[in-house]
């Protein structure tokens, strides 16, 4: 007989912009929030009875109220507050997952000084937080998405790009890739801001300086540095999507020279992913 | 001490177009393939030794050869073949996951007859297959992505869209959503094509005719029909993302009339997901 | 001294869904509308005086009212009505340009019969209309955007893809491209629907059957057929963006065979555009 | 009789990455190039004779050779060189239009110092250059695309967002928009780099400080500053697409407070565009 083995519902793409004001100095928080709920909703599936399903308006109002109250704090803290609110609101919900993504705006420097109330958008990099709670246990996973990096030397050619006979096609005198990272905190009671800054710095400094022979080794080294530095982090997952480039065949145009021109190609995108925890 | 708890690597976005020729009549297969490999690759992470990592060129060549040999068959069959090839090729690989997505082209009807060699692109709907193998056990999951549907009547308003006081804001005199489905076969030895057609028909007919009171109930009913009809299917997962629309406030413009005009809004996108198997 | 040589303002991305009801049979019209206004607005630029600028709410209400009144008619007719409304509304406006794009939904066939109230989305192809009016003269330009076509034989290789020595790289045993077309009516008093159908059929039939040696020749032939058939059309502009594919190098994999496997590449996208009128 | 009133062909999306090396210090130039050609190509349209159409490979090779020779210079200079090469290459071409867009990478600061060979991607803002030449006359238009700005105070509410009765819905205590700018040089013999920097600074400082009552007035003021400062610029076109936000209705949630929370909505996107030259 048919049996529901898993189910969830939710609302996604709730976008708010919170302007945090400290006197004349403003700070924008550009947030996108999603919710997933699990719980005692089998009658909705079996009988079409929607009891206990939070209306979209209610979910929006929860986000707006929480963004006002906690909007100046870290997104991890906002996620914890949203989980607690949802569980309080509706007893049928047994588990809540809140995802928050923050896009960054940079304070404009104009006329040689930082502007209090004018901003230009940052890169595609986003801060993320995923908070999951069943009312007793809570999990906080922080992350970074779409951090695009380029390293124009010092990175050994990946054997991934060698051809079948073992010869290198040399695609990797250059590394261009999109990195995502996520790390799990051992508790929800951590000063999330400084940790995030430290993790991001560890990622970038390792990728900038480490003489890795493979992408795998570079990612492992990053994870090792993070776990060694921060006891409150239980595990780290890193993924790198390499954007493929090919050195321009300049000989065919009769020009000799060093390999400083690359053609963007689109296929295939290589990916390496690793999760590192403590043994 | 740092320990690798999970890792994988792969290549994605390998796009090929296979023209299947039966005399003058052609059939295009527009395929995008991705690979993920797991196995004995810890030295790549720990020491930067890339031994055993299949070069991107090798992966591409495997796809091209398999597309030629099996390109006229179902994508599930192509996925099975690609898993087997990768495992044969490199002993360090202990597990392969192949994802194939197929976009559809429609044969052009011109001058009242079907054209043998001319096509126009279909909708955004894609057929998918995910085949995973460790050499002994194989899992075949077929799917449909981005099947957009609209039902303009006969669907009861979802309580999700009621406001907090229990009044309905009536957003759902209309249902517009993007459906994805995936189902697991009990074996890799099934005639995948007719099954896929049957599952797709069951989805569309149920959504067209079933007088569901909730989206949840509609999805459950679809899954129940599929599991009842096809013994070779072990479980079904369905997800619907509802695109939000709001009835136009025509009274404010001084026009009375039935609710036949809706304004597209963007937030929030509701989602319901359910997995149904056999008890 | 600084002088405003051109200026405009407007609102875009007004999306509405009109359900046209004929008894139980429904027809959805999925429309996106944009406006651009020109006129006597120099004080807005020079002095910051916004007088005469239609508020966004007013523009939205105009669209909603017109979609109710004319939503069952062709988009060209809706565009004419919207131009007239805007000019009536605000005397400072001397010229209005309305753009409407319509996405298509297909009536679901389920259980062997057409469903009255259930639809699946069509392809990315959109119908467009651009209506411009200064109150005295009106211009109606109809169009088709993003009509993706594939021809798997019978199209001579384009010399565009030959290499420099005159040898062909053979990319064009296959033509895959995205076509856009637009045509100007000699008057606003035409039965737009049948014309649109006829133009679309002429495009597809010519591209399916015509033994063109170049993309240029194929497009010219299409335009010539349209102008010859429809006296009420003054000019036709056609543009084709070719998506590049490269035959798979199967020899390197040790497989001989006909050229029926192609690799999608991304660069460069070729484009040919031509406008044909009557001499 | 049918007559070709306009035609062109070209190649687009030619993407190259040039690493400019000054000793150990690298600078990446991430460029996307497009070409459009006009000229004596009527036989391609009328007879299918492709003579004189530059093969895609030739166009790619021109881009690669020019990127090597001029890749360290401004994109306007690269565009001038590409126009000249195309006209030399093929006598049938009477007019060339080259478009170049440059995406920006930021030098990584790691461990407190600027890295020589590691970069993170910048914002979506792109530098553009459009160079058009017929061999005798050349036009150089520089530009900026997708510069996203936010101003969180000091910008008067636009009347565009007032409702019909003249009341303000207050949408514009906040301005969030995407700006594009382009300006025409009076000659091709200008030091493009410093001009570009000056124009960008003028845009940002004016938008940050100017107490504009309308978006129109802000854009006009920017253009006026640019034309007053730079005699070598003949005209400026500015366009701003406003992303709509609505203040959160916090009263409904029982919370009083200042208007510091905004909900992203998607419709309608307002646009203002103006071209200013010298009288």
């Amino acid at each position: 007989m048919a049996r529901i083995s898993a189910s969830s519902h939710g609302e996604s793409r709730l976008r708010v912009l919170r302007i945090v004001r400290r006197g004349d100095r403003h700070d924008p928080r550009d947030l996108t929030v999603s919710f997933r709920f699990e719980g005692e909703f089998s009658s909705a599936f079996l009988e079409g009875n929607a009891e206990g399903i939070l209306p979209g308006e209610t979910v929006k109002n929860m986000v707006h109220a929480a963004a006002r109250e906690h909007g100046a704090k870290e997104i991890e803290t906002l996620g914890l507050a949203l989980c607690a609110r949802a569980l309080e609101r509706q007893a049928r919900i047994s588990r809540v997952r809140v995802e928050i993504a923050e896009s960054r705006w940079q304070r404009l420097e104009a006329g040689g000084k930082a502007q209090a109330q004018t901003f230009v958008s940052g890169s595609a990099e986003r801060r993320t937080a995923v908070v999951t709670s069943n009312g007793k246990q809570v999990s906080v996973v922080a992350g970074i998405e779409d951090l695009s990096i380029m390293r124009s030397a010092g990175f050994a050619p990946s054997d991934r790009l060698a051809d079948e006979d073992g010869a290198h096609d040399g695609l990797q005198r250059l590394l261009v890739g999109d990195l995502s990272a996520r790390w799990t905190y051992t508790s929800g009671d951590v000063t999330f801001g400084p940790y995030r800054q430290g993790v991001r710095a560890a990622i970038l400094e390792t990728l900038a300086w480490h003489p890795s022979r493979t992408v795998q080794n570079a990612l492992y080294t990053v994870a090792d540095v993070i776990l060694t530095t921060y006891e409150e982090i239980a595990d780290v997952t890193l993924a790198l999507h390499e954007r493929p480039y090919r050195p321009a065949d300049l000989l065919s145009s009769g020009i000799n020279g060093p390999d400083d021109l690359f053609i963007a190609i689109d296929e295939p995108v290589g990916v390496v992913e690793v999760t590192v925890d403590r043994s």
Side-chain angles (χ1 to χ4, degrees), chain A:
Chain A
M1 217 201 97
R3 183 190 60 150
I4 295 171
S5 66
S7 73
S8 68
H9 66 276
E11 305 283 338
S12 62
R13 204 168 182 263
L14 290 147
R15 295 182 299 139
V16 299
L17 178 63
R18 171 77 151 82
I19 307 294
V20 180
R21 295 183 171 137
R22 295 183 181 88
D24 277 352
R25 184 185 166 96
H26 295 181
D27 280 291
R29 311 292 310 274
D30 190 343
L31 308 173
T32 301
V33 181
S34 299
F35 280 88
R36 279 293 183 106
F37 305 113
E38 295 174 31
E40 198 33 70
F41 296 104
S42 59
S43 64
F45 289 96
L46 300 178
E47 293 145 34
N49 171 2
E51 200 180 330
I53 293 177
L54 290 182
E57 279 303 307
T58 304
V59 175
K60 280 165 73 169
N61 287 340
M62 288 193 327
V63 171
H64 300 169
R68 255 193 67 83
E69 194 175 337
H70 302 285
K73 301 172 192 161
E74 299 300 324
I75 54 176
E76 293 85 352
T77 305
L78 179 61
L80 286 164
L82 284 167
C83 278
R85 273 165 200 251
L87 289 167
E88 270 167 37
R89 182 97 200 186
Q90 177 47 257
R92 280 175 187 262
I93 297 173
S94 59
R95 192 166 173 278
V96 183
R97 177 186 164 97
V98 173
E99 291 190 36
I100 305 176
E102 178 174 13
S103 298
R104 307 288 296 166
W105 290 83
Q106 297 184 323
R107 192 172 295 286
L108 179 65
E109 307 269 340
K113 71 175 230 213
Q115 297 296 304
Q117 303 167 355
T118 311
F119 309 88
V120 293
S121 69
S123 74
E125 180 184 346
R126 280 165 297 131
R127 297 175 173 180
T128 61
V130 179
V131 182
T132 314
S133 173
N134 64 4
K136 289 170 197 154
Q137 287 169 303
V138 73
S139 148
V140 180
V141 179
I144 293 170
E145 296 287 331
D146 290 325
L147 170 55
S148 300
I149 56 160
M150 179 195 298
R151 189 160 164 189
S152 56
F155 210 91
S158 150
D159 279 7
R160 162 186 170 242
L161 298 153
D163 67 25
E164 292 202 72
D165 305 317
H168 285 251
D169 67 8
L171 228 64
Q172 292 295 303
R173 294 150 211 182
L174 175 76
L175 177 74
V176 184
D178 302 306
L179 187 96
S180 68
R182 55 180 195 274
W183 55 96
T184 307
Y185 287 104
T186 52
S187 110
D189 189 23
V190 168
T191 52
F192 299 109
Y195 277 75
R196 176 180 290 281
Q197 284 185 308
V199 169
R200 187 177 185 276
I203 291 170
L204 290 174
E205 294 185 14
T206 307
L207 292 177
W209 285 335
H210 193 264
S212 304
R213 289 212 53 246
T214 60
V215 169
Q216 279 87 345
N217 189 217
L219 298 185
Y220 177 79
T221 305
V222 168
D224 192 33
V225 168
I226 293 170
L227 291 176
T228 303
T229 314
Y230 299 106
E231 285 198 7
E232 294 79 0
I233 293 178
D235 62 59
V236 181
T237 297
L238 296 158
L240 185 78
H241 290 255
E242 285 184 70
R243 302 191 207 162
Y245 280 85
R246 191 185 297 282
D249 186 4
L250 295 163
L251 297 176
S252 76
S253 313
I255 300 170
N256 268 299
D259 48 314
D260 57 4
L261 183 64
F262 299 86
I263 316 299
I265 54 180
D266 288 75
E267 174 198 317
V269 175
V271 59
V272 174
E273 184 164 341
V274 66
T275 300
V276 183
D277 61 12
R278 296 174 200 281
S279 60

PDB file of all heavy atoms in Angstrom, chain A residues 201-216:
ATOM      1  N   ALA A 201      38.761  34.305   5.324  1.00  0.00           N
ATOM      2  CA  ALA A 201      40.177  34.646   5.170  1.00  0.00           C
ATOM      3  C   ALA A 201      41.021  33.387   4.987  1.00  0.00           C
ATOM      4  O   ALA A 201      41.938  33.354   4.156  1.00  0.00           O
ATOM      5  CB  ALA A 201      40.646  35.450   6.386  1.00  0.00           C
ATOM      6  N   ALA A 202      40.693  32.346   5.745  1.00  0.00           N
ATOM      7  CA  ALA A 202      41.461  31.097   5.622  1.00  0.00           C
ATOM      8  C   ALA A 202      41.313  30.509   4.219  1.00  0.00           C
ATOM      9  O   ALA A 202      42.277  30.004   3.626  1.00  0.00           O
ATOM     10  CB  ALA A 202      40.986  30.087   6.671  1.00  0.00           C
ATOM     11  N   ILE A 203      40.116  30.573   3.671  1.00  0.00           N
ATOM     12  CA  ILE A 203      39.891  30.065   2.309  1.00  0.00           C
ATOM     13  C   ILE A 203      40.753  30.841   1.320  1.00  0.00           C
ATOM     14  O   ILE A 203      41.505  30.263   0.525  1.00  0.00           O
ATOM     15  CB  ILE A 203      38.402  30.189   1.928  1.00  0.00           C
ATOM     16  CG1 ILE A 203      37.558  29.208   2.743  1.00  0.00           C
ATOM     17  CG2 ILE A 203      38.199  29.989   0.428  1.00  0.00           C
ATOM     18  CD1 ILE A 203      36.063  29.428   2.613  1.00  0.00           C
ATOM     19  N   LEU A 204      40.660  32.161   1.365  1.00  0.00           N
ATOM     20  CA  LEU A 204      41.325  32.967   0.343  1.00  0.00           C
ATOM     21  C   LEU A 204      42.842  32.918   0.487  1.00  0.00           C
ATOM     22  O   LEU A 204      43.562  32.811  -0.515  1.00  0.00           O
ATOM     23  CB  LEU A 204      40.812  34.406   0.394  1.00  0.00           C
ATOM     24  CG  LEU A 204      39.365  34.549  -0.099  1.00  0.00           C
ATOM     25  CD1 LEU A 204      38.867  35.976   0.111  1.00  0.00           C
ATOM     26  CD2 LEU A 204      39.260  34.183  -1.590  1.00  0.00           C
ATOM     27  N   GLU A 205      43.325  32.978   1.714  1.00  0.00           N
ATOM     28  CA  GLU A 205      44.784  32.965   1.879  1.00  0.00           C
ATOM     29  C   GLU A 205      45.369  31.621   1.465  1.00  0.00           C
ATOM     30  O   GLU A 205      46.425  31.568   0.827  1.00  0.00           O
ATOM     31  CB  GLU A 205      45.153  33.301   3.327  1.00  0.00           C
ATOM     32  CG  GLU A 205      44.759  34.746   3.631  1.00  0.00           C
ATOM     33  CD  GLU A 205      45.183  35.223   5.007  1.00  0.00           C
ATOM     34  OE1 GLU A 205      46.014  34.559   5.651  1.00  0.00           O
ATOM     35  OE2 GLU A 205      44.684  36.287   5.415  1.00  0.00           O
ATOM     36  N   THR A 206      44.684  30.558   1.791  1.00  0.00           N
ATOM     37  CA  THR A 206      45.205  29.246   1.399  1.00  0.00           C
ATOM     38  C   THR A 206      45.202  29.103  -0.122  1.00  0.00           C
ATOM     39  O   THR A 206      46.171  28.646  -0.723  1.00  0.00           O
ATOM     40  CB  THR A 206      44.375  28.127   2.061  1.00  0.00           C
ATOM     41  OG1 THR A 206      44.335  28.367   3.464  1.00  0.00           O
ATOM     42  CG2 THR A 206      44.982  26.766   1.786  1.00  0.00           C
ATOM     43  N   LEU A 207      44.102  29.510  -0.742  1.00  0.00           N
ATOM     44  CA  LEU A 207      44.053  29.395  -2.204  1.00  0.00           C
ATOM     45  C   LEU A 207      45.065  30.319  -2.875  1.00  0.00           C
ATOM     46  O   LEU A 207      45.565  30.025  -3.958  1.00  0.00           O
ATOM     47  CB  LEU A 207      42.636  29.677  -2.719  1.00  0.00           C
ATOM     48  CG  LEU A 207      41.599  28.612  -2.328  1.00  0.00           C
ATOM     49  CD1 LEU A 207      40.209  29.020  -2.813  1.00  0.00           C
ATOM     50  CD2 LEU A 207      41.963  27.243  -2.912  1.00  0.00           C
ATOM     51  N   ALA A 208      45.364  31.447  -2.228  1.00  0.00           N
ATOM     52  CA  ALA A 208      46.329  32.374  -2.832  1.00  0.00           C
ATOM     53  C   ALA A 208      47.761  31.867  -2.716  1.00  0.00           C
ATOM     54  O   ALA A 208      48.570  32.050  -3.621  1.00  0.00           O
ATOM     55  CB  ALA A 208      46.200  33.750  -2.175  1.00  0.00           C
ATOM     56  N   TRP A 209      48.085  31.224  -1.589  1.00  0.00           N
ATOM     57  CA  TRP A 209      49.484  30.927  -1.316  1.00  0.00           C
ATOM     58  C   TRP A 209      49.884  29.473  -1.416  1.00  0.00           C
ATOM     59  O   TRP A 209      51.054  29.157  -1.598  1.00  0.00           O
ATOM     60  CB  TRP A 209      49.836  31.430   0.090  1.00  0.00           C
ATOM     61  CG  TRP A 209      49.986  32.899   0.168  1.00  0.00           C
ATOM     62  CD1 TRP A 209      50.311  33.742  -0.857  1.00  0.00           C
ATOM     63  CD2 TRP A 209      49.819  33.712   1.321  1.00  0.00           C
ATOM     64  NE1 TRP A 209      50.359  35.034  -0.419  1.00  0.00           N
ATOM     65  CE2 TRP A 209      50.070  35.041   0.917  1.00  0.00           C
ATOM     66  CE3 TRP A 209      49.508  33.455   2.653  1.00  0.00           C
ATOM     67  CZ2 TRP A 209      49.995  36.118   1.811  1.00  0.00           C
ATOM     68  CZ3 TRP A 209      49.448  34.525   3.528  1.00  0.00           C
ATOM     69  CH2 TRP A 209      49.684  35.842   3.110  1.00  0.00           C
ATOM     70  N   HIS A 210      48.939  28.590  -1.244  1.00  0.00           N
ATOM     71  CA  HIS A 210      49.334  27.197  -1.114  1.00  0.00           C
ATOM     72  C   HIS A 210      49.748  26.631  -2.474  1.00  0.00           C
ATOM     73  O   HIS A 210      49.020  26.741  -3.445  1.00  0.00           O
ATOM     74  CB  HIS A 210      48.166  26.376  -0.548  1.00  0.00           C
ATOM     75  CG  HIS A 210      48.599  25.020  -0.109  1.00  0.00           C
ATOM     76  ND1 HIS A 210      48.472  23.917  -0.901  1.00  0.00           N
ATOM     77  CD2 HIS A 210      49.168  24.595   1.038  1.00  0.00           C
ATOM     78  CE1 HIS A 210      48.931  22.867  -0.252  1.00  0.00           C
ATOM     79  NE2 HIS A 210      49.356  23.245   0.932  1.00  0.00           N
ATOM     80  N   PRO A 211      50.948  26.011  -2.540  1.00  0.00           N
ATOM     81  CA  PRO A 211      51.434  25.501  -3.826  1.00  0.00           C
ATOM     82  C   PRO A 211      50.833  24.135  -4.139  1.00  0.00           C
ATOM     83  O   PRO A 211      51.541  23.141  -4.222  1.00  0.00           O
ATOM     84  CB  PRO A 211      52.944  25.414  -3.590  1.00  0.00           C
ATOM     85  CG  PRO A 211      53.060  25.107  -2.132  1.00  0.00           C
ATOM     86  CD  PRO A 211      51.907  25.771  -1.446  1.00  0.00           C
ATOM     87  N   SER A 212      49.510  24.089  -4.307  1.00  0.00           N
ATOM     88  CA  SER A 212      48.828  22.809  -4.451  1.00  0.00           C
ATOM     89  C   SER A 212      49.111  22.163  -5.795  1.00  0.00           C
ATOM     90  O   SER A 212      49.165  22.835  -6.819  1.00  0.00           O
ATOM     91  CB  SER A 212      47.319  23.011  -4.318  1.00  0.00           C
ATOM     92  OG  SER A 212      47.040  23.633  -3.093  1.00  0.00           O
ATOM     93  N   ARG A 213      49.244  20.877  -5.763  1.00  0.00           N
ATOM     94  CA  ARG A 213      49.421  20.157  -7.016  1.00  0.00           C
ATOM     95  C   ARG A 213      48.079  19.734  -7.603  1.00  0.00           C
ATOM     96  O   ARG A 213      47.978  19.444  -8.780  1.00  0.00           O
ATOM     97  CB  ARG A 213      50.323  18.933  -6.824  1.00  0.00           C
ATOM     98  CG  ARG A 213      51.787  19.346  -6.577  1.00  0.00           C
ATOM     99  CD  ARG A 213      52.761  18.316  -7.135  1.00  0.00           C
ATOM    100  NE  ARG A 213      52.503  18.022  -8.518  1.00  0.00           N
ATOM    101  CZ  ARG A 213      52.092  16.842  -8.974  1.00  0.00           C
ATOM    102  NH1 ARG A 213      51.909  15.834  -8.161  1.00  0.00           N
ATOM    103  NH2 ARG A 213      51.871  16.645 -10.244  1.00  0.00           N
ATOM    104  N   THR A 214      47.057  19.663  -6.805  1.00  0.00           N
ATOM    105  CA  THR A 214      45.717  19.346  -7.314  1.00  0.00           C
ATOM    106  C   THR A 214      44.707  20.261  -6.622  1.00  0.00           C
ATOM    107  O   THR A 214      44.957  20.777  -5.537  1.00  0.00           O
ATOM    108  CB  THR A 214      45.306  17.888  -7.002  1.00  0.00           C
ATOM    109  OG1 THR A 214      45.301  17.710  -5.579  1.00  0.00           O
ATOM    110  CG2 THR A 214      46.233  16.877  -7.628  1.00  0.00           C
ATOM    111  N   VAL A 215      43.563  20.427  -7.278  1.00  0.00           N
ATOM    112  CA  VAL A 215      42.456  21.145  -6.651  1.00  0.00           C
ATOM    113  C   VAL A 215      42.046  20.418  -5.376  1.00  0.00           C
ATOM    114  O   VAL A 215      41.749  21.034  -4.350  1.00  0.00           O
ATOM    115  CB  VAL A 215      41.273  21.245  -7.636  1.00  0.00           C
ATOM    116  CG1 VAL A 215      40.022  21.754  -6.924  1.00  0.00           C
ATOM    117  CG2 VAL A 215      41.628  22.168  -8.795  1.00  0.00           C
ATOM    118  N   GLN A 216      42.054  19.087  -5.436  1.00  0.00           N
ATOM    119  CA  GLN A 216      41.704  18.295  -4.258  1.00  0.00           C
ATOM    120  C   GLN A 216      42.564  18.683  -3.066  1.00  0.00           C
ATOM    121  O   GLN A 216      42.064  18.898  -1.960  1.00  0.00           O
ATOM    122  CB  GLN A 216      41.909  16.790  -4.549  1.00  0.00           C
ATOM    123  CG  GLN A 216      40.793  16.121  -5.302  1.00  0.00           C
ATOM    124  CD  GLN A 216      40.938  16.230  -6.808  1.00  0.00           C
ATOM    125  OE1 GLN A 216      41.731  17.034  -7.322  1.00  0.00           O
ATOM    126  NE2 GLN A 216      40.174  15.444  -7.530  1.00  0.00           N
TER     127      GLN A 216
END
